[in-house]
Amino acid sequence: MRADYIWMNGELRPWDQAQVHVLSHALHYGTSVYEGLRAYEVAEKAAIFCGPEHFERLLYSCKVLRCPSPFTVEQWMDAAARTLRANRQRSAYIRPLVFRGTGTIGIDGRKSSAEAILAAVPWGTYLGEEALEHGVDVQVSSWRRGSPGAGTPLAKIGGQYVNSQAIAMEAHDNGLQEGIALDANGYVSEGSGENVFLVYKNELFTPPISNSILSGITRGCIKTIAKDLGYTVTETAIPREMLYAAEEIFFTGTAVEVCPVRSVDRLQVGNGGRGPVTKAIQDVFFGIVRGTHADKWGWLTPVDMAVDMAADAAGDAPAPERVTA
Ligand code: PMP
């Protein structure tokens, strides 16, 4: 995992020079917000998937942390395009991050600077290529998601991800690929870094935002695809037991994409492996991001790879624009 350049506070820096001070507030208190988005190679260009939606969520997270983003959605899109070009990447995992730098060692970080970086690194299938076909084995985590009064799950704030790490580490230590956390009341919430969908009697179900989930951008796309395929999608509180009753379960997320779950707590899901509904949804999703299906909802923003770095630095490059098929 390496690239030539990282964008930092408005300019590209060589990888080794993108550094922070040890007294950065974010290191001590988790005062950072971030996003994860992907660029896919489509027609020999990098195409950013749902870029504006991710940067809008980044700005929302900044608002909640009371750490205003130094850049607008358009400026962030431009930073992503510049970074991909500089690194000659047609596909990448893109990681924008806003964090509190130096200024105070007190808990209230608002006297510290607001810093911004965007990195783009190679990152393949999150849970393994095989997992997309055969599914992953998961457990219900012993860790709960925070109660609504204890956190802000709709915002991707760095410090909140210690809870996600506990969920992932527990599952890995148990020889499983992922954990599904329940919310404070015992209803299904989400994985450590992905949303959950269930298929029951040929209908789709997923927890609503009131069950302490991050409102995933992929989750939104999958709802759109599923409805377009003629499935009913219901957002409702899901008791733990439905994870055992479901015919199919799959995760959605930028890193995990659309990944089937084949067992929960060592109980096989449905017939084990990938079910037909999951497969139908995957076919449309991967078709769009691999360029074999029309991007009919306009989720991809192609990046012109031909612009040279000098023009980019001078701001002469055209702004990336979405094209709806
Ligand atoms: N839940 C959590 C806790 C996450 O960190 C993520 C990844 N951002 C998701 C769900 C999936 O969200 P998205 O589809 O926007 O990547």
Side-chain angles (χ1 to χ4, degrees):
M1 192 210 61
R2 214 190 143 88
D4 292 342
Y5 293 97
I6 290 183
W7 180 93
M8 194 164 181
N9 294 325
E11 63 184 45
L12 288 162
R13 295 193 187 179
W15 175 279
D16 293 327
Q17 290 171 28
Q19 292 178 350
V20 297
H21 196 277
V22 290
L23 286 184
S24 292
H25 198 266
L27 273 180
H28 303 245
Y29 302 115
T31 24
S32 64
V33 307
Y34 75 96
E35 273 301 317
L37 56 160
R38 279 188 191 261
Y40 290 94
E41 179 168 354
V42 178
E44 295 182 5
K45 286 185 177 170
I48 302 173
F49 187 75
C50 289
E53 287 83 350
H54 280 282
F55 291 119
E56 272 154 25
R57 189 170 67 188
L58 184 76
L59 266 51
Y60 167 71
S61 301
C62 284
K63 173 183 167 186
V64 174
L65 190 63
R66 293 165 174 79
C67 176
S69 166
F71 299 97
T72 62
V73 169
E74 291 71 28
Q75 288 169 323
W76 278 110
M77 282 298 285
D78 198 51
R82 277 182 68 186
T83 310
L84 292 168
R85 279 197 281 266
N87 290 329
R88 295 179 297 282
Q89 290 159 316
R90 288 181 185 165
S91 69
Y93 179 81
I94 302 170
R95 168 54 55 84
L97 175 82
V98 176
F99 63 97
R100 287 285 181 197
T102 51
T104 175
I105 204 152
I107 288 190
D108 183 338
R110 285 176 289 184
K111 290 199 181 79
S112 291
S113 58
E115 312 281 338
I117 66 109
L118 182 142
V121 293
W123 202 12
T125 315
Y126 183 49
L127 297 175
E129 194 63 44
E130 225 206 50
L132 294 179
E133 194 179 331
H134 300 294
V136 288
D137 300 306
V138 312
Q139 66 169 110
V140 172
S141 184
S142 70
W143 295 98
R144 296 278 175 104
R145 280 283 178 213
S147 70
T152 52
L154 297 177
K156 278 181 82 73
I157 295 176
Q160 298 193 144
Y161 276 78
V162 173
N163 172 254
S164 284
Q165 289 178 55
I167 295 163
M169 289 191 289
E170 179 186 55
H172 297 165
D173 286 349
N174 288 333
L176 302 162
Q177 280 106 322
E178 186 52 294
I180 294 177
L182 305 179
D183 74 0
N185 298 313
Y187 291 103
V188 174
S189 180
E190 60 181 344
S192 69
E194 52 281 313
N195 294 113
V196 186
F197 283 78
L198 268 67
V199 180
Y200 184 68
K201 298 198 191 300
N202 225 31
E203 289 182 27
L204 283 139
F205 297 88
T206 194
I209 55 172
S210 47
N211 291 123
S212 298
I213 64 161
L214 179 78
S215 180
I217 312 275
T218 323
R219 172 182 178 270
C221 296
I222 295 315
K223 283 196 305 187
T224 301
I225 292 173
K227 286 179 193 164
D228 194 56
L229 289 171
Y231 294 107
T232 308
V233 184
T234 308
E235 291 182 45
T236 183
I238 297 172
R240 171 181 184 159
E241 192 184 358
M242 282 303 293
L243 296 170
Y244 310 137
E247 289 134 23
E248 297 179 36
I249 301 176
F250 60 87
F251 284 134
T252 68
T254 299
V256 81
E257 299 170 303
V258 181
C259 182
V261 173
R262 73 175 166 203
S263 74
V264 181
D265 296 338
R266 313 275 179 200
L267 291 174
Q268 178 175 289
V269 177
N271 298 324
R274 177 174 60 183
V277 180
T278 309
K279 166 91 170 60
I281 290 170
Q282 274 186 332
D283 284 347
V284 179
F285 177 83
F286 287 111
I288 291 173
V289 301
R290 288 172 187 160
T292 55
H293 278 44
D295 176 25
K296 68 174 178 177
W297 294 288
W299 291 333
L300 298 169
T301 305
V303 174
D304 185 349
M305 303 304 283
V307 181
D308 69 44
M309 277 178 73
D312 240 353
D316 292 343
E321 269 178 42
R322 303 185 114 159
V323 190
T324 309

